[in-house]
């Protein structure tokens, strides 16, 4: 796909650091006992999780930014630490860093009819200085019909939500606009926000500024009252190279892979220790302890970058894999926010029984195994969450891969019913520090965290032994799966939540 901006042009360089050899494979397979869920789980310790949480927190707090946002030293330190940890097991894992370039917002200056307003440059949009009349785009601007009033040389004014801002920006550009102001749909500014998509078929991108909901609504009222409002927007961007870390067991069948993933970056606001440092660490600890066992199926772990900017690392990875490689992934499980202080145990609704939208075949079976594990082995309650593609499994879902995962809850409010099931406080967010400065290592429920980490270990061990729980591979089913999941991603994942 043509991409208009040199700043955001993608490049990929993959470095492979360890090369599997037949002999190391043989050693791994011969000398270690076959992995078993209870044995792997027994090796997981709260103290190890907490120790690693402090390490991530130190990465954040030892930098001026005090976060682990992509493009910062705090994130780079995180990526290198994951890589170095995996590199301690050269006989057990091969790994590589998958690099890609992102253009992130640095600063924006905005005036309306000469009056300055607060604005932030939107990541992935081009830098530029544009000036023109504001045109309000209705319906959140996800369809080209919404842009009928846009004139050449105008700047569109559009609300956040319902589709990635990339779609709004590109449709505006196609309709003749030279810039975009996107306003928030919740309290808070749009610092660290991005177009959330690397490129679109809808058109090329124009410079974009993010403004608050209150400022946006005030501008909409003026424009709709017939006032001519000239916006002058200057944005500055900087390009950062960022990295996904991908590791895979040397042992096991590489034609049948269980893929476990989390993300390595935080938002700008804080260290991101629950979101999603906790998922990063849970995966790393499972990967470390797995080295005590052999596996029948290959286990792949990945730590994505750029999740907070719109699932960019996972999207990039999927875009680089031929379908034949994606087909080898029998199941992809994603883990984010494993230690929310006011936690619930949520399982993605892979079979669609709770929310109506199911994933590709295998997604339902993954959900059922999590349910069985929580009810029978762990003896805890669980709830479902909508299978909406809001985290890094979204691009895999779109590519027809069976997916699943668990989470402890983000900014949503705990219900009275959930407080009865899990304890904690009804009427309070699962994570009051979600996307804020207080998401540090004090913001964790360690009991919930070890419980979730054991669930990850259970799934890793179960599918590293066998995929018997999943329906066998079948071309007819695959074709159906593809059709179905394309629908899921367009109607649901992108439609409802990726724009937020
Ligand atoms: C970030 O890490 C990568 C990979 O290890 C390294 O090549 C790069 O130089 C680092 N960049 C910065 C700014 O530290
Ligand atoms: C915005 O204005 C400040 C202060 O004049 C300046 O330092 C900065 O470079 C400007 N940013 C852009 C994108 O023009
Ligand atoms: C499991 O593997 C880890 C990492 O190599 C090692 O530190 C630990 O001692 C092993 N545990 C057992 C019980 O062998
Ligand atoms: C599960 O939830 C019910 C309320 O729905 C509660 O009575 C029970 O104690 C909970 N069980 C556990 C193990 O927390
Ligand atoms: C973590 O955040 C809490 C709440 O904002 C704060 O009191 C505490 O000092 C922070 N911890 C560190 C190490 O800065
Ligand atoms: C594949 O699945 C379809 C639908 O369930 C079934 O009709 C067909 O017989 C299966 N094919 C094979 C080769 O198992
Ligand atoms: C955007 C973000 O904060 N990252 C993810 C952290 O984990 C939660 C729970 O899975 C996701 O909803 C977030 O998107």
């Amino acid at each position: 796909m043509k991409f208009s901006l040199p700043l955001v042009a993608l490049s990929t360089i993959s470095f492979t650091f360890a090369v599997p050899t037949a002999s190391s494979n043989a050693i791994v397979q011969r000398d270690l006992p076959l992995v078993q869920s209870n044995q792997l789980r027994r090796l997981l310790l709260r103290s190890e999780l907490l120790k690693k949480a402090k390490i991530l927190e130190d990465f954040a707090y030892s930098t001026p930014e005090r976060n682990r946002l992509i493009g910062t030293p705090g994130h780079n330190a995180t990526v290198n630490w994951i890589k170095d940890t995996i590199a301690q097991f050269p006989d057990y894992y091969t790994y590589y860093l998958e690099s890609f370039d992102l253009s992130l917002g640095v600063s924006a200056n905005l005036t309306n009819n000469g009056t300055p307003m607060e604005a932030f440059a939107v990541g992935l949009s081009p830098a530029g200085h544009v000036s023109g009349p504001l045109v309000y785009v209705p319906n959140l601007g996800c369809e080209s019909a919404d842009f009928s009033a846009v004139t050449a040389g105008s700047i569109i004014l559009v609300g956040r939500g319902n589709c990635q801002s990339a779609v709004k920006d590109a449709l505006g550009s196609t309709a003749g606009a030279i810039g975009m102001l996107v306003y928030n749909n919740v309290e808070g500014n749009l610092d660290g926000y991005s177009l959330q998509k690397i490129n679109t078929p809808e058109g090329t991108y124009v410079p974009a500024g993010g403004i608050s909901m209150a400022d946006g609504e005030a501008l909409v009222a003026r424009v709709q009252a017939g006032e001519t409002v000239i916006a002058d927007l200057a944005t500055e961007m900087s390009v950062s190279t960022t990295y996904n870390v991908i590791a895979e067991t040397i042992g096991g069948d590489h034609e049948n892979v269980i893929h476990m993933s989390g993300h390595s970056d935080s938002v700008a606001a804080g260290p991101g220790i629950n979101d999603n440092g906790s998922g990063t660490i849970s995966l790393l600890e499972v990967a470390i302890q797995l080295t005590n066992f052999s596996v029948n199926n290959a286990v792949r772990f990945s730590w994505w970058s750029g999740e907070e900017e719109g699932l960019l690392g996972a999207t990039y990875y999927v875009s680089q894999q031929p379908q034949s490689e994606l087909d080898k992934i029998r199941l992809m499980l994603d883990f984010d926010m494993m230690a929310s202080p006011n936690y619930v145990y949520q399982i993605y609704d892979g079979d669609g029984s709770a929310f109506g939208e199911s994933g590709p075949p295998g997604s339902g079976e993954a959900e059922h195994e999590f349910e069985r594990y929580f009810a029978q082995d762990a003896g805890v309650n669980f709830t479902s969450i909508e299978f909406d593609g809001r985290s890094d499994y979204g691009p895999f879902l779109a590519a027809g891969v069976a997916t699943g995962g668990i989470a402890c809850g983000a900014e949503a409010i705990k219900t009275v019913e959930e407080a009865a099931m899990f304890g904690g406080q009804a009427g309070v967010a699962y994570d009051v520090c979600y996307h804020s400065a207080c998401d540090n290592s004090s913001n964790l429920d360690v009991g919930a965290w070890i419980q979730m980490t054991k669930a990850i270990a259970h799934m890793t061990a179960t599918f590293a032994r066998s995929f018997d729980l999943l329906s066998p591979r079948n071309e007819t089913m695959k074709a159906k799966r593809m059709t179905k999941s394309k629908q899921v991603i367009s109607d649901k994942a992108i439609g409802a939540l990726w724009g937020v």
Side-chain angles (χ1 to χ4, degrees):
M1 187 66 226
K2 170 167 164 280
F3 202 75
S4 59
L5 313 160
L7 271 185
V8 230
L10 287 211
S11 70
T12 177
I13 317 153
S14 297
F15 308 101
T16 301
F17 288 91
V19 178
T21 62
S23 65
S24 58
N25 190 357
I27 290 165
V28 165
Q29 288 299 308
R30 192 180 59 234
D31 295 347
L32 299 173
L34 181 60
V35 65
Q36 271 191 48
S37 170
N38 58 350
Q39 289 178 2
L40 180 58
R41 278 183 277 144
R42 204 175 298 139
L43 300 182
L44 299 170
L45 301 177
R46 290 170 194 234
S47 54
E48 280 302 317
L49 298 180
L50 274 174
K51 204 163 90 189
K52 292 183 169 74
K54 290 297 290 179
I55 292 175
L56 290 191
E57 185 180 277
D58 286 348
F59 289 155
Y61 286 163
S62 61
T63 67
E65 297 85 6
R66 295 178 69 78
N67 64 27
R68 299 182 304 107
L69 184 70
I70 60 169
T72 65
H75 182 246
N76 223 42
T78 304
V79 165
N80 286 318
W81 173 69
I82 294 169
K83 174 187 73 113
D84 292 344
T85 306
I86 291 294
Q88 287 165 21
F89 307 99
D91 291 340
Y92 198 86
Y93 289 112
T94 54
Y95 64 93
Y96 62 97
L97 299 188
E98 179 179 48
S99 75
F100 55 101
D101 289 348
L102 295 176
S103 130
L104 304 176
V106 175
S107 70
N109 294 326
L110 172 67
T111 60
N112 76 82
N113 291 345
T115 307
M117 295 179 71
E118 185 183 55
F120 295 88
V122 174
L124 304 181
S125 68
H129 187 171
V130 291
S131 193
L134 285 177
V135 175
Y136 171 62
V137 173
N139 307 320
L140 301 177
C142 295
E143 307 282 342
S144 49
D146 302 333
F147 293 77
S148 55
V150 175
T151 48
S154 62
I155 294 181
I156 56 169
L157 176 61
V158 62
R160 173 188 186 185
N162 270 15
C163 58
Q164 290 115 319
S165 291
V167 173
K168 306 168 199 272
D169 188 283
L171 287 174
S173 152
T174 300
I178 55 170
M180 169 169 84
L181 291 185
V182 58
Y183 58 93
N184 211 344
N185 53 0
V186 290
E187 292 297 313
N189 65 39
L190 281 176
D191 193 5
Y193 189 62
S194 90
L195 292 181
Q196 303 188 304
K197 210 173 169 196
I198 288 162
N199 60 28
T200 74
E202 291 87 358
T204 55
Y205 296 144
V206 291
I211 60 179
S212 72
M213 181 163 69
D215 284 349
E217 286 174 350
L219 286 177
V220 171
R222 286 167 58 191
V223 169
Q224 287 196 309
E227 186 186 344
T228 298
V229 180
I230 303 294
D232 184 283
L233 172 71
T235 62
E236 184 189 343
M237 313 295 294
S238 80
V239 178
S240 300
T241 301
T242 191
Y243 304 87
N244 292 327
V245 185
I246 322 277
E248 184 156 334
T249 54
I250 292 170
D253 176 1
H254 297 272
E255 301 293 310
N256 286 283
V257 176
I258 168 83
H259 193 149
M260 315 292 285
S261 84
H263 72 81
S264 59
D265 59 316
S266 79
V267 289
I273 299 302
N274 182 31
D275 178 13
N276 284 288
S278 56
T280 299
I281 292 166
S282 295
L283 277 187
L284 193 59
E285 197 53 30
V286 170
I288 291 169
Q289 298 305 333
L290 184 64
T291 62
N292 294 297
F293 305 97
S294 68
V295 294
N296 289 331
N297 297 314
V299 183
R300 186 175 303 160
F301 292 93
S302 38
W303 290 269
W304 310 119
S305 183
E307 193 266 7
E308 301 288 4
E309 287 70 29
L311 319 181
L312 301 176
T315 301
Y316 185 70
Y317 175 86
V318 168
S319 74
Q320 298 303 300
Q321 300 291 313
Q323 190 62 45
S324 57
E325 283 302 312
L326 291 173
D327 286 345
K328 294 177 184 172
I329 305 172
R330 297 291 300 276
L331 181 63
M332 187 272 192
L333 298 174
D334 188 46
F335 304 99
D336 248 353
M337 306 199 63
M338 298 283 104
S340 307
N342 195 29
Y343 67 90
V344 290
Y345 297 138
Q346 302 173 322
I347 306 173
Y348 287 123
D349 183 29
D351 66 3
S353 61
F355 295 95
E357 205 70 67
S358 62
S363 310
E365 287 94 330
E367 181 193 2
H368 301 155
E369 184 54 19
F370 273 124
E371 290 174 350
R372 195 207 58 72
Y373 169 77
F374 278 131
Q376 292 173 23
D377 298 352
V380 297
N381 289 317
F382 56 83
T383 61
S384 297
I385 40 166
E386 200 168 1
F387 206 46
D388 55 24
R390 185 181 168 186
S391 200
D392 287 312
Y393 64 94
F396 286 81
L397 200 59
V401 176
T403 59
I406 49 178
C408 278
E411 77 279 34
I413 304 295
K414 190 178 243 178
T415 63
V416 171
E417 209 179 18
E418 287 170 340
M421 291 170 72
F422 301 98
Q425 277 182 284
V428 173
Y430 301 126
D431 181 357
V432 289
C433 290
Y434 178 70
H435 284 189
S436 61
C438 64
D439 184 9
N440 65 21
S441 64
S442 317
N443 181 45
L444 298 170
D445 187 293
V446 184
W449 195 7
I450 192 81
Q451 193 68 261
M452 297 302 261
T453 308
K454 288 188 175 197
I456 297 174
H458 172 74
M459 298 301 268
T460 305
T462 301
F463 294 106
R465 286 175 75 93
S466 153
F467 284 112
D468 285 353
L469 286 175
L470 305 187
S471 23
R473 282 215 176 96
N474 171 325
E475 289 306 313
T476 319
M477 290 302 290
K478 191 179 121 196
K480 277 193 189 158
R481 182 180 87 175
M482 299 290 293
T483 317
K484 172 70 184 162
S485 60
K486 278 203 184 102
Q487 191 188 325
V488 170
I489 205 78
S490 60
D491 296 358
K492 196 75 210 171
I494 292 179
L497 282 155
W498 279 18
V500 259

